[in-house]
Amino acid sequence: MNGISRRGFFKVVAGGSALALAPKKSAFGMAEFDGYPESMGVLVDLTRCIGCRTCEAACNREHGLPEPDLPFNDLSVFDQTFHGGTQKRRTDDGAFTVVNRYDTKTAGGPVYRKIQCNHCKEPACLTSCFVSAYKKTKEGAVIYNPDVCVGCRMCMVACPFGIPAYSYDSALHPEVIKCNFCYDNRLKHGKPPACVEACPQEALTFGHRNTLVKTAHERIRANPEKYVDHVYGETEVGGTSWMYLSGVPFDQLGFNTSLQHHPILDNTKSFLGIVPMVLGIWPAMFMGFHLLATGGKKEEENKKSQHRGEVHEE
Ligand code: SF4
Ligand code: SF4
Ligand code: SF4
């Protein structure tokens, strides 16, 4: 076998299972995380959004994503539905953000909703990941390191907003795809994300999350007839860095309005305890197969690149 022996493989499986089966604080990394008070965020004001998809195009350009099947000025995409008409467009390996149209009962016309990773304060993707492929940066971004990912896809199951997508391009190099808040080229340097900068309607406001919460409530106070009295993301799942204002009830726009108002961390830990066969053996098996497939080279390369400072560390 290349790089890792059969005995090594089963040691990895056994070790990985033990790790996932033992819900110690160290396995979850963020058990005592209090959030970053100075972190940034984006306030999405859906009353200002006109569904132009400029944000989608800007994100696509910024990240060198493949050209979509239909151009960004083709608004027929809003008519697309999936799973028997129950699901609208979602983020995938070619789109970190998408805008959907909703013909609501209460609004005078259609309402458009941009979706992307909400960069949760205490992200379920991070807490569910047993190899610590996710990191919450002090600037507020939740970023992902493909070099340590073993492709178990637990983060996809754990995300309450259904955001992480999976790239099927290479079976040997699994990769989860999601918005990274334009961390490397923009957020880290104090610059707004590409989508925010491109929006012609100022529907997206970039700033300190704490300030954005105040801004959101000020807008509601100043125009109570225009907005529903709710800042979505202020407290949902413990708070998110991207938050929303709306003129119609959020449940009419596909938002999950029954989410808990504390972090999913506790539930994730309970879940890990309840289904150890799935969450213990499955990720470990994936890790073993991954190491077999790559001969452990990726992990070795990752260690080297960490020494070279190429992996984002806080
Ligand atoms: S929205 Fe989903 S993918 Fe994004 S940080 Fe929250 S849990 Fe993670
Ligand atoms: S923050 Fe960056 S990566 Fe995320 S949706 Fe906007 S442009 Fe795309
Ligand atoms: S660019 Fe702005 S107005 Fe246009 S779809 Fe995106 S958020 Fe809405």
Side-chain angles (χ1 to χ4, degrees), residues 2 27 38 54-55 68-69 121 153 160 185 198 202-203 209 229-230 232 257 259 269 273 278-280 288 310:
N2 268 345
E38 290 304 308
T54 308
C55 50
D69 293 340
K121 284 171 75 179
R153 288 174 255 180
N185 294 333
E202 296 184 5
R209 185 185 184 276
D229 189 10
H230 183 177
Y232 192 93
T257 51
L259 288 173
K269 282 200 281 188
V278 175
L279 296 179
E310 289 171 7

Side-chain angles (χ1 to χ4, degrees), residues 44-46 48-58 78 97-100 112-114 195-196 198-204:
V44 184
D45 189 334
L46 298 178
R48 298 180 180 184
C49 179
I50 56 170
C52 63
R53 301 182 67 212
T54 308
C55 50
E56 287 189 46
F78 294 138
T97 184
V98 297
V99 178
N100 283 319
Y112 299 93
R113 171 191 170 194
K114 177 187 186 297
C195 55
V196 173
C199 176
Q201 293 296 110
E202 296 184 5
L204 312 171

